[in-house]
Amino acid sequence: MPEAYIVDAVRTPIGRRRGGFSDTHPADLGAHVIRTLVERGDFDPAAIEDVVYGCLDAIGSQAGDIARTCALAAGLPESVPGVTIDRQCGSSQQAVHFAAQAVMSGTSDLVLAGGVQKMTQFPILSSFTAGEPFGATDPWTGSKGWEARYGNQEISQFNSAETIAREWDFSREDLERFALESHRRAIQAREEGRFAAEITPFEDVKHDEGPRADTTLEKMAELKTLVPGGRLTAAVSSQISDASAALLIASEEAVKQHGFKPRARIHHLSVLGSDPVNLLTAPLPATRRALEKTGLGVDDIDLFEVNEAFASVVLAWQKHIGADPAKVNVNGGAIALGHPLGASGARIMITLLHELERTGGRYGLQTMCEGGGQANVTIIERLG
């Protein structure tokens, strides 16, 4: 089967809610990384056969196939199409999968994949509330098939994160220590310039705005839990963010034609469904299956990136997989850096690629929990 190569990868800084990208149109935010990849690659943009972008809550200025709007706003030829993907938090990771599959199938040679999200303007679940004037408040209520199978159980990421903490017996203090370490690692990475090569500044924003150097366990302990008697607080949850990220995926033919130097190849890609009620648990079986399918062991993976939707998700994943915490989210995760939903999968892959290059590692594995009880897994192999 033909290989799919990552030839370049770039992201914007991650803007905090009501931060540096508050007044930026999401199409311009998404266009910036596209334009950067084309300018750095010095190739005819008409060669791009598709732009595959992840985006959730596609309403207002994020509606109307924002992938296509971003491509046009970036100045790509009108011949370059775009398609928007919604696999919830894994949308831009799935965008990379679709791009790689197009290349590996031989139907495309050059595809740009990534994602964009402006949560400052469109908070999570905005598309739910947008349906209220039309008599629909969520995706499940009123579905006879759904209710026959799952009843009227609460479908909530917060409930799932709380359930995981309780079932895996992680205390509030366990979660807060994990969150503090995420901030520590992110701040260290920023201070050491580890993100410099992967970030393209935009709108006067040069660095990730999320990491908090002044946070402490004492400050976290003062926060109220999301539910009475619970263990979850805002401090151990991912941040609301604005950002975009994109990767250029090429075939061997495109590499030769454009003189690209491949930085990594897609070694494995898969997706697995799990419990849609306790919906954040899918990365556990999905990772296990990916390792079994590739014949790789946990010790064969040099770096892991597991999206920090909540601290309990990553802690449970680490226990289940047996991964060394020193190899997981080494530059911090979404608790510190932020979680721009539709862009997070690509952002994580870009950070993973750059850290493999910095450390000389070979294999990196990425996974993330997704709405509907799903999880994508990607394993990339650094080249060169």
Side-chain angles (χ1 to χ4, degrees), residues 88-277:
Q88 297 293 276
C89 294
S91 295
S92 56
Q93 185 177 358
Q94 182 62 58
V96 174
H97 283 203
F98 283 153
Q101 287 166 341
V103 167
M104 294 163 75
S105 70
T107 57
S108 297
D109 287 305
L110 194 62
V111 183
L112 196 151
V116 63
Q117 199 78 41
K118 187 180 177 187
M119 298 180 74
T120 292
Q121 186 172 10
F122 303 106
I124 188 170
L125 305 184
S126 293
S127 55
F128 286 23
T129 55
E132 290 179 0
F134 305 98
T137 57
D138 62 63
W140 313 284
T141 301
S143 167
K144 295 178 181 178
W146 176 274
E147 292 177 355
R149 188 168 185 179
Y150 298 107
N152 294 309
Q153 298 179 72
E154 178 185 356
I155 308 299
S156 162
Q157 60 176 335
F158 305 107
N159 183 60
S160 178
E162 192 76 55
T163 299
I164 292 170
R166 185 176 62 253
E167 291 183 350
W168 287 79
D169 196 25
F170 297 125
S171 67
R172 173 174 175 170
E173 291 73 21
D174 292 332
L175 306 181
E176 290 170 345
R177 281 194 293 270
F178 179 91
L180 185 65
E181 178 65 7
S182 180
H183 284 280
R184 188 198 69 77
R185 292 183 180 190
I187 292 165
Q188 180 180 355
R190 186 173 62 186
E191 290 177 347
E192 293 181 358
R194 296 186 192 179
F195 297 132
E198 67 189 62
I199 286 178
T200 173
F202 187 53
E203 300 282 13
D204 297 323
V205 182
K206 298 180 180 179
H207 305 288
D208 298 318
E209 296 179 333
R212 294 183 172 92
D214 61 346
T215 193
T216 63
L217 291 175
E218 290 73 23
K219 288 183 178 179
M220 292 182 185
E222 295 174 356
L223 298 177
K224 291 183 178 180
T225 55
L226 297 186
V227 296
R231 308 177 191 193
L232 209 67
T233 69
V236 301
S237 311
S238 55
Q239 294 188 41
I240 297 169
S241 312
D242 309 325
S244 68
L247 301 92
L248 195 59
I249 309 298
S251 68
E252 186 173 356
E253 177 61 30
V255 166
K256 293 177 180 178
Q257 180 180 352
H258 301 288
F260 295 137
K261 182 179 179 181
R263 297 170 62 177
R265 75 178 185 92
I266 306 295
H267 180 75
H268 169 83
L269 46 83
S270 60
V271 63
L272 186 69
S274 187
D275 184 352
V277 179

